[in-house]
Amino acid sequence: MTASAAGSWPAGQVVVLGAHILDVLGRPVEAIPPGQGSTRLQEIRATAAGTAAGTGVDLAKLGARVLAIGALGDDLLADLLVAAVARHGVDTAGLVRKSGVQTSATILPIRPNGERPALHVPGATARLELTDIDLEPVRRCRALLVGAPDALGAMVGDGLDEVVAAARSAGALIVVDVLHPGHPRDLERIGSLLAAADWFLPNSDQLLALTGREDLSAAIGDVLALGVGGVAVTLGAGGCLVAGPGGREPVHLPAIAVDVVDTTGCGDGFNAGMMTGLLLGAGPVDAAWLGVACGSLVATGLGSDAGIEDIEQVLGFLRRAQPAVAARLAAPDAPAAEVAPRGEGAAGMAETPAPVASAAPVTEADERPDERPRRADRLLRERARAVIPGGMYGHQAAGPLPPEYPQFMRGGRGARIWDVDGNEYVDLMCSYGPVILGHRHPAVEEAAAAQAALGDCQNGPGPVMVELAELLVQTVQHADWAMLAKNGTDATTMCCTIARAQTGRRRILVARGAYHGAAPWCTPRPAGTTPQDRANLGHYTFNDLASAQAAAEAAGDDLAAIVVSPFKHDAGYDQELVDPEFARGLRRLCDATGAALILDDVRCGFRLHRGSSWEPVGVAPDLSAWSKAIANGHPLAAVLGSDAFREGARSIFVTGSFWFAAVPMAAAIATIRALAAERAVEAMDRAGTALRDGILAQASSWGLAVNYTGPPAMPYLTFDGDTDYALGSLFAARALRGGAYLHPRHNWFVSAAMTGDDLALALAATDQAFAAVRKQIGQ
Ligand code: PMP
């Protein structure tokens, strides 16, 4: 096992429950000899097989601690079977012996081409009862495989539901596979089990027989509709199909070519690889690649325990076919993913993103109607129109967006989000910036929950306020002190107030078109404001030092501050990085006049640098405003300042009912620590660069002239000459349909949670979107 993969193996046992079958295999068998005839074979083996035992042995070889649960007969076959699984380190404490029934067993005469007709006695598997099972280890397990519920007799229904509930109580990954092709009534019997499972891993014959369908996509749709989180269907020599939640087209992974000896146990190998991948924190497609690698290796020898040695050997094998996937699976930094709770898919994994080769290339615009569910959103919009002015307001109002955009969201995890109708998207807006480590980041949510258990909004702040202020001062070079508030507007407004209090002057310079918040002095929509609210504002042009000098001169000795954003990110315009000479010029101007240089880091803060966004430029502001990302989505803002402005900060009166709430402060501490621990800025830059490279390559292959501007982690895309955003809106709408949530008139945000799978899905969606734009413009 590689040090990295071994180190990443999550603590806790994997429980395999269900079919434990003794296989006796012989090869090559051209034909059964007639009469009493006999044929000499090359090889006869006995192995532990069956969806539970076969997968359990492979899981153990891949590094898992495995507990087997199942029923055996009280016979020699059972002795052999127990010895066979124990040889691989599987804990056999959960295997019970039943008298009066034989151990499940199969005789397999393997044909020269690897095919395997089976002569099977179902035996004891169906005799397992709930009372045979010690639920204690199940309650503590990391994953539960229910192998062969179709062969489990009386356990199916309440019994299995109870076992699954026990595993689920520990947050375990729940995986189901079946033993036989079966019939639609079998699907009914295991419906509640599937509804509680994260993944269903049948082969194509089983899935078609269970659903009564002739078409795999329809069959996958049927089982997803039962509520299972995802389906991966093995296709024998054809590889597999992986379909997550959210109704997108399944991703097809081809098999990896090997010299086939015997295909017995390939499905079990796939299950073990897929489960291992998911438990190690990989996305579903990467996990399925590990499954494909294991399944292919199992085919290289006789019996279901053949081919796989350990995870290092499997990753080495996969590396030859899919080097990027193998590298991600072996990535030393990839933390194990939490298994996503029911209905939210498996996501939330941090790995080095790179496009997944298997995302099918798009060759033309997808003209199928958008059939995603929209009802819940429609109903909420109707209700909102009656009780919320305009139905919605502010920057998150979906009204100005293409009509496909949902207004209401249900939740998110990692880089995936779900709208209120359950449609899934890769999130390229990150709640307009606040989500930087990914939705529901475990360390941040744990810190927030721990503080919430103590208290949040109290008569005074918690100790976390001082701890956070210290951490901010340590993290941001120009800061000698910190004040905390709720929103970006609080922070930018406070910066101006502090500058005025410190200097005793009135005038503030801002860049034309820049956004600094929604207070009367800075809101972009003047309705309800008075000219007096802005009477003390002057304007300059971003990156034009002469214009700032002229505005400063016009302010004379009344200049209190110059406010500037780290780069020009005005909504609806191509972005412009800062010219370092302009930044240095503003610093000189403030030094010469005694005005405060205020950096509005509300939008960029911690996405470009773990410190002030102008540290890489080498320019220190006097005051800086922060909000969006500092607590990974928890409501918090900060003003950071130098000692020269400490007295001004002390003198003003600012406060708010919720400004001292402790939970967001605890979340911010955890966020800032995780940013360092996970090298999140580098991860966002890598993901953003891969996104940019992919999108630019797509635009060029579609012959479309685009402007892709801004830093990789905060990009923005426009089409040449698209002054009314018609093409941008079409692009956004089609990307959304394909499962990428981005924006036609606002910069996008990349989070550190983007995985290779997320990126591949986002790029598949943008490719579709470019196809639609190409079609709109004409060839
Ligand atoms: N400044 C900048 C640069 C911003 O992007 C924003 C928010 N988009 C603000 C200030 C205001 O922040 P908030 O919406 O949290 O008040």
Side-chain angles (χ1 to χ4, degrees):
M1 187 182 297
T2 56
S4 52
S8 309
W9 248 106
Q13 220 163 26
V14 179
V15 172
V16 292
L17 179 153
H20 287 71
I21 301 173
L22 190 81
D23 274 2
V24 178
L25 314 97
R27 82 174 181 110
V29 180
E30 311 251 2
I32 305 289
Q36 304 268 34
S38 104
T39 303
R40 198 175 270 232
L41 301 183
Q42 270 175 27
E43 191 180 9
I44 293 179
R45 291 192 69 218
T47 64
T51 9
T55 305
V57 164
D58 290 338
L59 276 164
K61 290 191 200 177
L62 294 172
R65 260 195 317 123
V66 181
L67 170 67
I69 296 180
L72 313 180
D74 200 6
D75 52 10
L76 179 64
L77 293 175
D79 297 346
L80 283 172
L81 190 47
V82 168
V85 292
R87 268 175 94 104
H88 296 287
V90 172
D91 181 347
T92 58
L95 295 177
V96 289
R97 306 268 188 142
K98 302 278 178 179
S99 56
V101 60
Q102 78 149 80
T103 297
S104 304
T106 309
I107 297 175
L108 293 136
I110 306 301
R111 297 188 215 275
N113 68 356
E115 282 175 0
R116 43 173 180 130
L119 310 168
H120 180 61
V121 177
T125 294
R127 297 278 292 272
L128 185 69
E129 292 168 44
L130 184 58
T131 48
D132 295 327
I133 300 174
D134 177 4
L135 286 179
E136 250 338 282
V138 178
R139 279 192 197 99
R140 293 192 310 269
C141 76
R142 186 74 178 85
L144 168 69
L145 168 70
V146 181
D150 51 329
L152 278 178
M155 276 288 292
V156 181
D158 294 349
L160 272 186
D161 289 351
E162 196 166 329
V163 178
V164 168
R168 178 62 78 196
S169 68
L173 173 77
I174 312 286
V175 176
V176 176
D177 187 9
V178 285
L179 189 61
H180 306 297
H183 187 273
R185 46 172 192 277
D186 298 319
L187 189 60
E188 261 170 54
R189 286 184 70 223
I190 62 170
S192 67
L193 173 67
L194 289 180
D198 294 295
W199 284 94
F200 182 37
L201 310 179
N203 67 34
S204 51
D205 290 344
Q206 290 165 338
L207 184 65
L208 293 175
L210 281 172
T211 54
R213 296 277 197 173
E214 289 180 357
D215 165 60
L216 275 176
S217 292
I220 288 171
D222 287 352
V223 286
L224 284 176
L226 290 174
V228 68
V231 186
V233 189
T234 50
L235 310 172
C240 77
L241 287 172
V242 188
R248 276 186 313 275
E249 282 296 300
V251 175
H252 174 231
L253 312 188
I256 301 172
V258 288
D259 288 334
V260 174
V261 172
D262 162 30
T263 58
T264 308
C266 291
D268 301 334
F270 177 85
N271 293 352
M274 175 105 191
M275 289 178 73
T276 299
L278 291 171
L279 289 172
L280 288 176
V285 174
D286 280 1
W289 270 120
L290 196 59
V292 167
C294 288
S296 302
L297 280 169
V298 168
T300 61
L302 185 65
S304 60
D305 64 351
I308 298 174
E309 288 164 22
D310 56 27
I311 187 125
E312 188 174 49
Q313 168 240 7
V314 177
L315 287 176
F317 172 71
L318 180 59
R319 198 166 292 126
R320 271 172 267 146
Q322 288 290 324
V325 179
R328 286 200 293 277
L329 284 162
D333 299 345
E338 295 267 300
V339 176
R342 294 286 321 115
E344 296 186 358
M349 294 139 280
E351 26 175 79
T352 307
V356 174
S358 56
V362 175
T363 49
E364 57 185 35
D366 182 355
E367 292 309 327
R368 284 170 300 178
D370 184 354
E371 285 171 346
R372 288 166 310 163
R374 308 291 301 278
R375 189 162 177 275
D377 194 65
R378 219 171 23 243
L379 292 176
L380 279 167
R381 284 188 195 222
E382 266 167 40
R383 287 167 54 196
R385 264 195 292 279
V387 291
I388 295 173
M392 198 49 59
Y393 48 88
H395 69 294
Q396 294 202 348
L401 285 165
E404 288 83 349
Y405 274 74
Q407 174 65 75
F408 295 95
M409 306 303 293
R410 187 177 82 190
R413 189 174 186 97
R416 300 289 173 97
I417 48 174
W418 295 269
D419 67 22
V420 72
D421 283 291
N423 301 303
E424 182 181 288
Y425 311 93
V426 176
D427 188 6
L428 293 176
M429 287 307 291
C430 295
S431 317
Y432 291 74
V435 172
I436 189 167
L437 295 165
H439 294 269
R440 286 168 51 209
H441 185 274
V444 175
E445 293 318 303
E446 217 169 88
Q451 180 61 51
L454 292 171
D456 184 20
C457 185
Q458 306 176 88
N459 283 343
V464 281
M465 183 171 185
V466 182
E467 199 186 327
L468 174 58
E470 285 169 350
L471 187 57
L472 286 166
V473 165
Q474 277 161 27
T475 307
V476 178
Q477 274 175 21
H478 76 84
D480 295 318
W481 51 262
M483 293 171 80
L484 301 172
K486 283 290 103 175
N487 287 290
T489 311
D490 299 338
T492 53
T493 305
M494 268 166 80
C495 285
C496 296
T497 313
I498 292 168
R500 284 174 173 145
Q502 181 75 41
T503 60
R505 305 172 188 174
R506 285 173 296 180
R507 293 193 69 80
I508 307 276
L509 303 187
V510 293
R512 265 178 215 92
Y515 184 74
H516 296 297
W521 73 269
C522 56
T523 174
R525 300 230 196 114
T529 66
T530 65
Q532 286 80 1
D533 291 324
R534 294 155 189 257
N536 284 306
L537 288 189
H539 291 90
Y540 64 90
T541 302
F542 192 88
N543 266 349
D544 178 352
L545 187 56
S547 73
Q549 282 160 341
E553 222 161 275
D557 57 9
D558 206 15
L559 182 63
I562 301 177
V563 185
V564 65
S565 52
F567 68 93
K568 185 167 180 265
H569 46 41
D570 308 350
Y573 292 90
D574 292 335
Q575 307 193 102
E576 211 178 299
L577 297 183
V578 70
D579 173 357
E581 197 36 54
F582 170 72
R584 287 192 281 272
L586 288 189
R587 180 65 272 173
R588 282 196 301 273
L589 195 52
C590 288
D591 289 341
T593 57
L597 180 60
I598 299 173
L599 187 68
D600 180 353
D601 229 336
V602 168
R603 196 178 310 182
C604 308
F606 290 153
R607 232 187 197 84
L608 309 182
H609 181 72
R610 202 162 41 79
S612 155
S613 296
W614 270 9
E615 279 173 28
V617 181
V619 172
D622 300 297
L623 299 166
S624 56
W626 300 70
S627 185
K628 290 190 183 283
I630 61 174
N632 201 46
H634 288 265
L636 197 69
V639 172
L640 306 183
S642 65
D643 276 335
F645 285 79
R646 191 189 283 264
E647 179 50 27
R650 191 205 53 76
S651 68
I652 64 171
F653 181 77
V654 277
T655 188
S657 296
F658 302 102
W659 280 24
F660 303 94
V663 168
M665 295 181 191
I669 293 167
T671 300
I672 295 167
R673 293 202 175 124
L675 283 167
E678 295 175 18
R679 302 181 60 75
V681 172
E682 291 82 349
M684 286 182 281
D685 189 60
R686 270 199 311 275
T689 302
L691 182 69
R692 180 194 64 198
D693 293 350
I695 284 191
L696 289 179
Q698 289 173 347
S700 130
S701 77
W702 286 106
L704 292 165
V706 299
N707 309 297
Y708 196 83
T709 53
M714 296 175 64
Y716 181 51
L717 174 84
T718 59
F719 291 85
D720 263 7
D722 185 31
T723 46
D724 59 357
Y725 305 105
L727 298 180
S729 294
L730 173 63
F731 178 85
R734 286 310 182 90
L736 186 90
R737 181 190 292 191
Y741 192 111
L742 46 77
H743 202 292
R745 288 191 306 283
H746 192 291
N747 72 270
W748 313 343
F749 297 88
V750 170
S751 79
M754 283 281 279
T755 64
D757 281 0
D758 297 326
L759 190 64
L761 281 170
L763 286 173
T766 54
D767 206 27
Q768 276 283 351
F770 278 125
V773 171
R774 177 75 273 168
K775 191 154 191 245
Q776 172 81 10
I777 297 176
Q779 294 305 313

